[in-house]
Amino acid sequence: MSVGAPKIPVVVAEVVEVNELIKRFRFVRRDGAAMPIFSGGSHVVVEMDDHGTRRMNPYSLMSHPADTMGYEISVRRDEVGRGGSLYMHNHVKPGMEMVLSQPVNLFPLDARAKKHLMIAGGIGITPFVAQMAQVETMGGRFELHYSVRSPALGAYVDRLQQHYGPRVHVYFDELRQQIDLKTLLKSQPLGTHIYVCGPKGMIGWVHATAKAMGWPDRAVHSEEFLAPPVGLAFDVQLAASGKSFTVQPNQSLLEAIEAAGVEAPYLCRGGACGQCETEVLRCDGHIEHNDHWLTDDQKAANTKIMPCVSRFRGAALILDR
Amino acid sequence: MSLDFNDETFRGDYTFKNSAKAIKRFPFPFPEDSYMYSVNMEPHVPGPVGSIFEHMFDVDEHYVAEMRDRAQVLADDPLRCQSLPHMELAGWDLLELIMESKARDYPHWFELHKDGNNWHWINKPLQIEQRFTFMDASTLPYGPLEYITRQTQGDFTLQDQRDDDLWIEAGMVTTQADWSLDFDIGMSFKQWHAPVPLAGQMGIFDRALKFLLKLQHGAPVRRFNWTMTVDPLLDTSPENYPKWGPSKTTMTPETIGHRQHLRVELQTLHRLPRSNAIVFPIRCYLIRFEELVTVPKWARRLHRVVRDIPDELATYKGFLRNKPLMLDYLAQFDDGQPTSLGFAPD
């Protein structure tokens, strides 16, 4: 069974410096055809050829879901990461040819919600930009609470406030402004769903606060893509394909499997979706489980690994792939 | 009615029949001489010219008569089409998918002209011409799901995806193998599959759900299901069981070849773009035993499948009672010769 949808060959139409940390990229199809319509909250995986290293990073789509002329993403520069965002910032120019995956939505709006309450931190704003556009088209009710470091780093603040008016609330850390979450959650109408996208701390804070106030778990939604962490190099053996290789410090296990010419399933490449789940046949050592997918029990058992974000330290790791 | 479409009935005098061409393209569902459950899904990609897989939505000689039958079922029981309020967007997604597919695949029968959200739809076989505003249900005579599925063969269910599960929350169901949308609406994936024997213990539903939650837009999949039906009745619903159930008790060796039908469902699954819902079209194909045995390989194989099927499955599929009659009839076409692998006639 394969879930592979055809990839989308694109050309970079526009690169815009939004502020000193964030650039926006617009992609159009090379053949001039229409892009698929998508649902707000979807991401695409952008394939990069970083001077011989193949990188595939997921980014939320932030263009209007009904805009079939092109897709837009925003990328925050990460100086200490593995280099995907630096590649996007330093090397991707208008006219370049790239490849995108089909959109996949792991952060959908709940269509039953009477109101959508969106809470964003920093670059976590991007899925909400598309979701607000979609909800507005449908005549739905929403409110955005958007926390950023400073006016200079507040991507899209002006544009969103201008367009959506009092439905957009902005908080600047530098001015010591904070979302008054308890008051906010206390004053919501029945049938409200909460969505949060931002730093790990913010996501945990919103979940914990809502839970303590008696919100049902299923009314609180979050999305956190993990960048594959860097780490020490380690060796791995693939039993089914009979290959052995070393995973480099700035390479993910999934990328190393692909570089070895072995097909492996994936969707989010950020530890969230479960698609790349792989059986561990032998583990002499310690798996660094960095994903949100496996349960704590599964992680402790060391019989499964999510190669998109997880790593290994020890003598031998053999996978059923 | 034009030459392309049969003038036939699926009730009353049951004049339904398959032409030689329709028999040749019938989706015989058994690739080998035995049957057991499996998820058996494959990409729903275009198949050979003339086959039922040639196009995304197959339109065949039964189209006009099937739509006439659906209209009658709905007139008798409007609850066969339902859509919970949050599923309207998925209905528009489906309307777009079907209109675009049919206009592309059958341009001599269907046309779709778009000027922004002002759409103009022409369905020549059903003599329908409609101008409407896309995403504005007040411009159509029915909601988007009902509008387009009154013009499309097969049943349709729409599944919302949330909380790592699929929820059946809209549908058009008039050609079903004994299940009820009115009963199932609002259920989760495992709830609506609960009546299926054996498969749950086999882990089939765990695997299928996991797979479907990751189904991607632009990559539809398909599988077959099958059962047995007495007389070419499309509407074998629980609601109408008193009307059709007893027909199973009236079979004789003389009538079985003519009245017993193999009922095959081509089930496809598509991710919808705006709503992130999944549409599940269930397209029913009927073939009477007399028609089926004109293909020697299919006659041999069907005999072996029916002979060896576990009783739980024959009970669930509703033909345990008539299994001996079926076997007596089919045995005369099974000379014990080996059959080749795959669905196709030799």
Side-chain angles (χ1 to χ4, degrees), chain B residues 213-234:
Chain B
L213 289 173
K214 302 289 149 52
L215 185 69
Q216 274 185 282
H217 179 237
V221 295
R222 66 184 174 224
R223 67 182 292 262
F224 284 127
N225 199 5
W226 66 277
T227 188
M228 296 284 185
T229 301
V230 175
D231 297 325
L233 182 65
L234 286 173

mmCIF file of all heavy atoms in Angstrom, chain B residues 213-234:
data_model
loop_
_atom_site.group_PDB
_atom_site.id
_atom_site.type_symbol
_atom_site.label_atom_id
_atom_site.label_comp_id
_atom_site.label_asym_id
_atom_site.label_seq_id
_atom_site.Cartn_x
_atom_site.Cartn_y
_atom_site.Cartn_z
ATOM 1 N N LEU B 213 -6.239 7.446 7.617
ATOM 2 C CA LEU B 213 -5.985 8.747 8.250
ATOM 3 C C LEU B 213 -4.853 9.479 7.523
ATOM 4 O O LEU B 213 -4.754 10.698 7.587
ATOM 5 C CB LEU B 213 -5.624 8.561 9.733
ATOM 6 C CG LEU B 213 -6.786 8.113 10.634
ATOM 7 C CD1 LEU B 213 -6.269 7.806 12.041
ATOM 8 C CD2 LEU B 213 -7.884 9.168 10.700
ATOM 9 N N LYS B 214 -4.015 8.724 6.818
ATOM 10 C CA LYS B 214 -2.880 9.334 6.118
ATOM 11 C C LYS B 214 -3.136 9.454 4.623
ATOM 12 O O LYS B 214 -2.222 9.788 3.865
ATOM 13 C CB LYS B 214 -1.601 8.516 6.366
ATOM 14 C CG LYS B 214 -1.248 8.384 7.820
ATOM 15 C CD LYS B 214 -0.752 9.707 8.395
ATOM 16 C CE LYS B 214 -1.082 9.891 9.872
ATOM 17 N NZ LYS B 214 -0.686 8.807 10.726
ATOM 18 N N LEU B 215 -4.355 9.140 4.192
ATOM 19 C CA LEU B 215 -4.659 9.200 2.756
ATOM 20 C C LEU B 215 -4.413 10.616 2.231
ATOM 21 O O LEU B 215 -4.852 11.593 2.836
ATOM 22 C CB LEU B 215 -6.128 8.820 2.543
ATOM 23 C CG LEU B 215 -6.604 8.722 1.096
ATOM 24 C CD1 LEU B 215 -5.960 7.533 0.404
ATOM 25 C CD2 LEU B 215 -8.126 8.586 1.051
ATOM 26 N N GLN B 216 -3.723 10.708 1.104
ATOM 27 C CA GLN B 216 -3.355 12.019 0.583
ATOM 28 C C GLN B 216 -4.251 12.453 -0.557
ATOM 29 O O GLN B 216 -4.660 11.640 -1.391
ATOM 30 C CB GLN B 216 -1.911 11.986 0.069
ATOM 31 C CG GLN B 216 -0.887 12.245 1.131
ATOM 32 C CD GLN B 216 0.503 12.323 0.521
ATOM 33 O OE1 GLN B 216 1.108 11.309 0.216
ATOM 34 N NE2 GLN B 216 1.001 13.527 0.334
ATOM 35 N N HIS B 217 -4.515 13.740 -0.597
ATOM 36 C CA HIS B 217 -5.206 14.324 -1.737
ATOM 37 C C HIS B 217 -4.411 14.019 -3.004
ATOM 38 O O HIS B 217 -3.187 14.084 -3.010
ATOM 39 C CB HIS B 217 -5.307 15.837 -1.537
ATOM 40 C CG HIS B 217 -5.991 16.537 -2.663
ATOM 41 N ND1 HIS B 217 -5.395 17.548 -3.380
ATOM 42 C CD2 HIS B 217 -7.209 16.358 -3.204
ATOM 43 C CE1 HIS B 217 -6.243 17.963 -4.321
ATOM 44 N NE2 HIS B 217 -7.341 17.257 -4.227
ATOM 45 N N GLY B 218 -5.108 13.651 -4.059
ATOM 46 C CA GLY B 218 -4.417 13.359 -5.312
ATOM 47 C C GLY B 218 -3.941 11.922 -5.419
ATOM 48 O O GLY B 218 -3.353 11.542 -6.427
ATOM 49 N N ALA B 219 -4.173 11.123 -4.380
ATOM 50 C CA ALA B 219 -3.729 9.722 -4.422
ATOM 51 C C ALA B 219 -4.856 8.801 -3.950
ATOM 52 O O ALA B 219 -4.732 8.115 -2.948
ATOM 53 C CB ALA B 219 -2.484 9.538 -3.557
ATOM 54 N N PRO B 220 -5.987 8.770 -4.684
ATOM 55 C CA PRO B 220 -7.092 7.909 -4.257
ATOM 56 C C PRO B 220 -6.711 6.434 -4.326
ATOM 57 O O PRO B 220 -5.797 6.061 -5.063
ATOM 58 C CB PRO B 220 -8.211 8.236 -5.265
ATOM 59 C CG PRO B 220 -7.513 8.792 -6.457
ATOM 60 C CD PRO B 220 -6.284 9.484 -5.935
ATOM 61 N N VAL B 221 -7.407 5.620 -3.540
ATOM 62 C CA VAL B 221 -7.166 4.169 -3.533
ATOM 63 C C VAL B 221 -8.486 3.452 -3.781
ATOM 64 O O VAL B 221 -9.559 4.059 -3.730
ATOM 65 C CB VAL B 221 -6.555 3.698 -2.194
ATOM 66 C CG1 VAL B 221 -5.176 4.284 -2.002
ATOM 67 C CG2 VAL B 221 -7.470 4.054 -1.023
ATOM 68 N N ARG B 222 -8.404 2.155 -4.071
ATOM 69 C CA ARG B 222 -9.621 1.388 -4.324
ATOM 70 C C ARG B 222 -9.482 -0.034 -3.803
ATOM 71 O O ARG B 222 -8.382 -0.538 -3.590
ATOM 72 C CB ARG B 222 -9.918 1.346 -5.824
ATOM 73 C CG ARG B 222 -8.890 0.583 -6.630
ATOM 74 C CD ARG B 222 -9.190 0.655 -8.125
ATOM 75 N NE ARG B 222 -8.136 0.052 -8.915
ATOM 76 C CZ ARG B 222 -7.639 0.589 -10.025
ATOM 77 N NH1 ARG B 222 -8.098 1.751 -10.489
ATOM 78 N NH2 ARG B 222 -6.680 -0.017 -10.695
ATOM 79 N N ARG B 223 -10.631 -0.654 -3.593
ATOM 80 C CA ARG B 223 -10.688 -2.077 -3.264
ATOM 81 C C ARG B 223 -12.040 -2.601 -3.720
ATOM 82 O O ARG B 223 -12.932 -1.829 -4.049
ATOM 83 C CB ARG B 223 -10.505 -2.313 -1.774
ATOM 84 C CG ARG B 223 -11.658 -1.790 -0.936
ATOM 85 C CD ARG B 223 -11.421 -2.005 0.549
ATOM 86 N NE ARG B 223 -11.456 -3.412 0.913
ATOM 87 C CZ ARG B 223 -12.527 -4.025 1.428
ATOM 88 N NH1 ARG B 223 -13.638 -3.344 1.630
ATOM 89 N NH2 ARG B 223 -12.497 -5.298 1.750
ATOM 90 N N PHE B 224 -12.171 -3.922 -3.739
ATOM 91 C CA PHE B 224 -13.447 -4.552 -4.043
ATOM 92 C C PHE B 224 -14.074 -5.118 -2.794
ATOM 93 O O PHE B 224 -13.392 -5.550 -1.878
ATOM 94 C CB PHE B 224 -13.257 -5.732 -5.010
ATOM 95 C CG PHE B 224 -13.009 -5.337 -6.421
ATOM 96 C CD1 PHE B 224 -11.911 -5.824 -7.109
ATOM 97 C CD2 PHE B 224 -13.883 -4.482 -7.079
ATOM 98 C CE1 PHE B 224 -11.676 -5.474 -8.422
ATOM 99 C CE2 PHE B 224 -13.654 -4.137 -8.390
ATOM 100 C CZ PHE B 224 -12.548 -4.630 -9.061
ATOM 101 N N ASN B 225 -15.400 -5.145 -2.774
ATOM 102 C CA ASN B 225 -16.115 -5.980 -1.830
ATOM 103 C C ASN B 225 -17.190 -6.706 -2.638
ATOM 104 O O ASN B 225 -17.457 -6.339 -3.784
ATOM 105 C CB ASN B 225 -16.713 -5.137 -0.714
ATOM 106 C CG ASN B 225 -17.057 -5.993 0.494
ATOM 107 O OD1 ASN B 225 -16.777 -7.192 0.536
ATOM 108 N ND2 ASN B 225 -17.687 -5.364 1.478
ATOM 109 N N TRP B 226 -17.817 -7.707 -2.066
ATOM 110 C CA TRP B 226 -18.820 -8.435 -2.833
ATOM 111 C C TRP B 226 -19.822 -9.089 -1.903
ATOM 112 O O TRP B 226 -19.566 -9.301 -0.726
ATOM 113 C CB TRP B 226 -18.151 -9.502 -3.699
ATOM 114 C CG TRP B 226 -17.506 -10.590 -2.882
ATOM 115 C CD1 TRP B 226 -16.267 -10.544 -2.320
ATOM 116 C CD2 TRP B 226 -18.091 -11.842 -2.500
ATOM 117 N NE1 TRP B 226 -16.029 -11.690 -1.613
ATOM 118 C CE2 TRP B 226 -17.132 -12.511 -1.704
ATOM 119 C CE3 TRP B 226 -19.304 -12.467 -2.753
ATOM 120 C CZ2 TRP B 226 -17.355 -13.772 -1.161
ATOM 121 C CZ3 TRP B 226 -19.533 -13.731 -2.218
ATOM 122 C CH2 TRP B 226 -18.557 -14.369 -1.429
ATOM 123 N N THR B 227 -20.977 -9.401 -2.440
ATOM 124 C CA THR B 227 -21.965 -10.208 -1.740
ATOM 125 C C THR B 227 -22.870 -10.849 -2.789
ATOM 126 O O THR B 227 -22.537 -10.843 -3.980
ATOM 127 C CB THR B 227 -22.751 -9.371 -0.709
ATOM 128 O OG1 THR B 227 -23.578 -10.234 0.072
ATOM 129 C CG2 THR B 227 -23.619 -8.319 -1.372
ATOM 130 N N MET B 228 -23.973 -11.419 -2.339
ATOM 131 C CA MET B 228 -24.914 -12.080 -3.247
ATOM 132 C C MET B 228 -26.284 -11.432 -3.093
ATOM 133 O O MET B 228 -26.687 -11.109 -1.974
ATOM 134 C CB MET B 228 -25.042 -13.570 -2.900
ATOM 135 C CG MET B 228 -23.770 -14.357 -3.083
ATOM 136 S SD MET B 228 -23.452 -14.668 -4.832
ATOM 137 C CE MET B 228 -22.004 -15.730 -4.709
ATOM 138 N N THR B 229 -27.003 -11.260 -4.193
ATOM 139 C CA THR B 229 -28.323 -10.638 -4.146
ATOM 140 C C THR B 229 -29.290 -11.426 -5.030
ATOM 141 O O THR B 229 -28.947 -11.780 -6.161
ATOM 142 C CB THR B 229 -28.248 -9.179 -4.651
ATOM 143 O OG1 THR B 229 -27.338 -8.456 -3.826
ATOM 144 C CG2 THR B 229 -29.606 -8.501 -4.567
ATOM 145 N N VAL B 230 -30.467 -11.676 -4.484
ATOM 146 C CA VAL B 230 -31.521 -12.323 -5.271
ATOM 147 C C VAL B 230 -32.274 -11.246 -6.042
ATOM 148 O O VAL B 230 -32.725 -10.258 -5.444
ATOM 149 C CB VAL B 230 -32.500 -13.087 -4.358
ATOM 150 C CG1 VAL B 230 -33.660 -13.648 -5.176
ATOM 151 C CG2 VAL B 230 -31.774 -14.195 -3.614
ATOM 152 N N ASP B 231 -32.391 -11.401 -7.335
ATOM 153 C CA ASP B 231 -32.998 -10.424 -8.244
ATOM 154 C C ASP B 231 -32.121 -9.159 -8.297
ATOM 155 O O ASP B 231 -31.436 -8.831 -7.341
ATOM 156 C CB ASP B 231 -34.429 -10.040 -7.826
ATOM 157 C CG ASP B 231 -35.366 -11.243 -7.872
ATOM 158 O OD1 ASP B 231 -35.172 -12.094 -8.764
ATOM 159 O OD2 ASP B 231 -36.266 -11.341 -7.007
ATOM 160 N N PRO B 232 -32.157 -8.452 -9.419
ATOM 161 C CA PRO B 232 -31.289 -7.275 -9.578
ATOM 162 C C PRO B 232 -31.843 -6.071 -8.818
ATOM 163 O O PRO B 232 -32.262 -5.083 -9.408
ATOM 164 C CB PRO B 232 -31.276 -7.046 -11.083
ATOM 165 C CG PRO B 232 -32.579 -7.580 -11.557
ATOM 166 C CD PRO B 232 -32.900 -8.743 -10.670
ATOM 167 N N LEU B 233 -31.813 -6.172 -7.506
ATOM 168 C CA LEU B 233 -32.371 -5.122 -6.658
ATOM 169 C C LEU B 233 -31.219 -4.267 -6.137
ATOM 170 O O LEU B 233 -30.333 -4.773 -5.449
ATOM 171 C CB LEU B 233 -33.115 -5.784 -5.495
ATOM 172 C CG LEU B 233 -33.826 -4.881 -4.502
ATOM 173 C CD1 LEU B 233 -34.970 -4.136 -5.173
ATOM 174 C CD2 LEU B 233 -34.345 -5.709 -3.326
ATOM 175 N N LEU B 234 -31.210 -3.005 -6.480
ATOM 176 C CA LEU B 234 -30.143 -2.137 -5.990
ATOM 177 C C LEU B 234 -30.347 -1.815 -4.514
ATOM 178 O O LEU B 234 -29.421 -1.787 -3.721
ATOM 179 C CB LEU B 234 -30.110 -0.830 -6.795
ATOM 180 C CG LEU B 234 -29.548 -0.936 -8.210
ATOM 181 C CD1 LEU B 234 -29.742 0.384 -8.947
ATOM 182 C CD2 LEU B 234 -28.073 -1.308 -8.183
#
